[in-house]
Amino acid sequence: MAESWVNSAERIGADLHLELSGSGGRRAALIDALREAVRGGRLAPGTLLPPYRSLAADLGVARNTVADAYAELVAEGWLTARQGSGTRVADRTRPLRVQPPRHAGNRPVTAPPRARAPRHDLRQGTPDASAFPRAAWLASYRRALQQAPDEVFGPGDPAGRIELREALTEYLARARGVRTAPDRLVICSGFAHGLRLLFGQGGGGVLRGPLAVEAYGLGFHRELLRTAGVRTVPVPVDEHGARVGELARERAVLLTPAHQFPTGGPLHAGRRAAVIDWARARGGVVLEDDYDGEFRYDRKPVGAVQGLDPERVILLGSVSKSLSPALRLGWLVLPERYVQDVLAAKGEREAWASVLDQLSLADFITSGSYDRQVRRMRQRYRSRRDRLVAALAARAPHIEVTGVAAGLHAVLRLPPGTERSALKAAAWQDVALDGLAAFRHPEAGTTGPGAGVQDGLVVGYATPSEAGFGAALEALCEVLPPDAPTGSAAGPTNEPPDTPADAPTGSPAAG
């Protein structure tokens, strides 16, 4: 019987694909192929190469041919060989005798510079990355992997793993007042993915526009909807949230009822009831962005609007604020009539969230680790909020701070006409901040309550590490505009001369 290639003892070792070409013989061809694999980056520094006999068998050449090629490349500096540790690709910081320097004209070719992180990052949108619960998540991942049935490693369910949908059903009912069942949940890879599933591309989604949105919100979401062919219509906001009484002929509205983004504050109870009445009368639907509903500090918990009428509200949530945006896990809680259409939009082979991550999150929730992490971070973020408010009271008492009863950011109200110059000063001091104007809908009205242009800074107090938060607060206070006598123009402190008008001011993060 012919020898099996798969089981041959001569083919033990790592696979290495090489194309041997040229007329200089097999040894020369092998040397050239290995050089090119290293030079092109296909074989990274430290890569362990196959043993002589394994590579010789794979390439159909003599073992001595491979040994000679390895020896030549070791001598040239391409490879290193050490007794007991095999042959490896050399560190590229070592000089290579054969490789000529690359130039563009008379200038050496260098890699493009990587974007440098700001010294003080006070942009909204991300939690403290250093606080991710690595040990608890690893424990959940291990349990999930050990207990996973074999079917987990085959084709998945577009709705998402039943274990996660059941865990979320219980958690959302307990913590957010959501009324649903596992077969009403669809797992997605975040809020933006959920919007794409609902609105599709070119107006061919489950829902159609125009879509009413709050006059202040994430430009990223508006752009996503615009790309999908959906027109958005701004609804004014005030201290009680969106002015839902001004909804017109739209059939859907996107709201942030637990904590209006970015101005802060929950949707007033009367308006929560009013928007449900509007949806029933219009045959419409409310899209509820529950982006940071777990983080409240000075008020009683505000339940999800979805609990008022599960057949008129689509709730979208994710772990991007409570755990990390890197996990790419979110969910849609759907009225029954939309479930099959959303699953069809998702497709049988859509780019789903990792099944193992879904199982890990399910274990993380059912084991109690998720609740413990939320409570821990709620205490940490409240402490940071308090430090921010105290620093401003001491250093800039003329600056009004709003939207701090919940969430991961605050809004600093500025004197009229000072937002742009404050952002320029912040950029000069290497402080990344978002201006309130960046979140304003381009079609929002300029007059009337809740519609006018407001100057302010959106300060995210969750992003910096614990060690860097104090310095970030100090830098923030340095760039705020000073108090000014009535009738005089206020200008920022430390504003550099001739700062370009388009100096970077940070950008909103997508959830």
Side-chain angles (χ1 to χ4, degrees):
M1 183 173 64
E3 179 188 31
S4 166
W5 187 93
V6 174
N7 297 321
S8 170
E10 292 297 310
R11 295 175 174 86
I12 296 173
D15 289 340
L16 176 58
H17 175 74
L18 295 172
E19 294 285 350
L20 304 188
S21 59
S23 57
R26 306 292 274 175
R27 176 180 175 279
L30 177 56
I31 290 173
D32 288 344
L34 285 167
R35 280 200 199 108
E36 186 54 39
V38 175
R39 181 187 293 118
R42 197 160 61 84
L43 292 179
T47 300
L48 179 64
L49 298 184
Y52 301 155
R53 64 172 182 170
S54 176
L55 186 58
D58 288 350
L59 298 177
V61 301
R63 179 177 172 180
N64 287 343
T65 300
V66 177
D68 290 346
Y70 279 9
E72 175 66 21
L73 293 173
V74 167
E76 293 178 355
W78 294 92
L79 306 178
T80 61
R82 184 173 301 174
Q83 185 68 31
S85 63
T87 304
R88 297 178 181 271
V89 177
D91 186 341
R92 291 183 191 169
T93 60
R94 296 178 58 190
L96 301 176
R97 292 192 308 167
V98 179
Q99 183 180 25
R102 294 181 297 155
H103 290 78
N106 293 322
R107 294 173 295 131
V109 176
T110 58
R114 297 180 63 181
R116 184 179 61 81
R119 185 158 54 107
H120 303 294
D121 192 349
L122 290 172
R123 290 171 292 188
Q124 62 74 37
T126 58
D128 180 357
S130 68
F132 184 81
R134 302 183 190 211
W137 183 261
L138 180 59
S140 287
Y141 193 93
R142 284 175 171 166
R143 283 194 297 267
L145 190 60
Q146 290 169 348
Q147 299 169 9
D150 291 344
E151 67 183 43
V152 163
F153 303 98
D157 183 345
R161 287 298 304 182
I162 184 61
E163 295 91 340
L164 179 54
R165 289 185 282 126
E166 288 176 343
L168 283 170
T169 297
E170 185 277 332
Y171 172 78
L172 293 172
R174 170 171 53 83
R176 303 292 300 123
V178 171
R179 294 190 290 151
T180 190
D183 60 2
R184 302 287 188 89
L185 269 78
V186 174
I187 304 302
C188 58
S189 58
F191 180 85
H193 183 205
L195 276 187
R196 291 188 178 99
L197 291 177
L198 291 173
F199 289 98
Q201 294 291 331
V206 176
L207 303 177
R208 288 177 169 78
L211 171 68
V213 298
E214 293 162 330
Y216 284 83
L218 271 177
F220 169 77
H221 293 160
R222 293 194 297 265
E223 180 60 23
L224 185 155
L225 291 162
R226 188 195 65 78
T227 301
V230 177
R231 177 173 169 257
T232 57
V233 179
V235 177
V237 298
D238 58 23
E239 66 274 16
H240 298 302
R243 298 168 65 91
V244 297
E246 299 185 28
L247 289 170
R249 301 182 61 85
E250 299 82 20
R251 300 293 292 272
V253 58
L254 172 61
L255 301 174
T256 52
H259 186 228
Q260 200 289 319
F261 181 86
T263 61
L267 186 64
H268 188 275
R271 294 183 184 180
R272 291 161 68 92
V275 77
I276 294 297
D277 290 342
W278 168 84
R280 290 169 178 167
R282 292 283 300 157
V285 63
V286 179
L287 276 62
E288 181 173 10
D289 181 0
D290 200 37
Y291 72 100
D292 65 358
E294 294 98 340
F295 296 111
R296 75 274 177 184
Y297 312 118
D298 301 327
R299 69 181 194 209
K300 294 180 179 179
V302 178
V305 170
Q306 190 269 359
L308 299 179
D309 192 337
E311 293 305 316
R312 291 295 172 191
V313 181
I314 297 174
L315 183 137
L316 299 95
S318 78
V319 298
S320 64
K321 304 294 186 295
S322 56
L323 288 176
S324 169
L327 287 178
R328 307 314 307 152
L329 283 171
W331 51 86
L332 296 94
V333 180
L334 298 161
E336 183 178 13
R337 68 185 182 277
Y338 292 127
V339 173
Q340 291 306 314
D341 288 340
V342 169
L343 292 177
K346 197 174 183 189
E348 291 296 326
R349 290 293 183 269
E350 200 269 338
W352 305 333
S354 163
V355 169
L356 291 179
D357 284 346
Q358 292 182 48
L359 292 175
S360 299
L361 180 58
D363 181 273
F364 200 73
I365 294 171
T366 57
S367 68
S369 294
Y370 188 81
D371 283 275
R372 287 190 290 273
Q373 174 68 5
V374 168
R375 287 196 298 271
R376 181 168 75 95
M377 297 313 297
R378 189 183 295 147
Q379 292 174 351
R380 176 177 294 190
Y381 293 147
R382 176 173 183 162
S383 173
R384 291 193 183 188
R385 188 280 311 264
D386 291 347
R387 290 172 63 186
L388 169 65
V389 172
L392 293 172
R395 298 281 301 278
H398 58 290
I399 300 293
E400 180 187 5
V401 186
T402 64
V404 293
L408 306 180
H409 71 270
V411 175
L412 277 55
R413 304 288 181 174
L414 300 182
T418 63
E419 177 183 316
R420 187 176 177 85
S421 56
L423 289 171
K424 288 163 60 180
W428 181 260
Q429 298 294 332
D430 206 11
V431 179
L433 286 171
D434 293 309
L436 190 58
F439 300 100
R440 184 171 174 274
H441 195 290
E443 297 178 17
T446 58
T447 60
V453 177
Q454 305 173 57
D455 279 38
L457 299 176
V458 180
V459 178
Y461 48 80
T463 302
S465 67
E466 281 291 283
F469 188 60
L473 286 183
E474 181 70 21
L476 171 67
C477 292
E478 290 292 331
V479 303
L480 294 175
D483 197 5
T486 303
S488 65
T493 61
N494 295 336
E495 181 180 359
D498 301 321
T499 304
D502 59 350
T505 61
S507 61

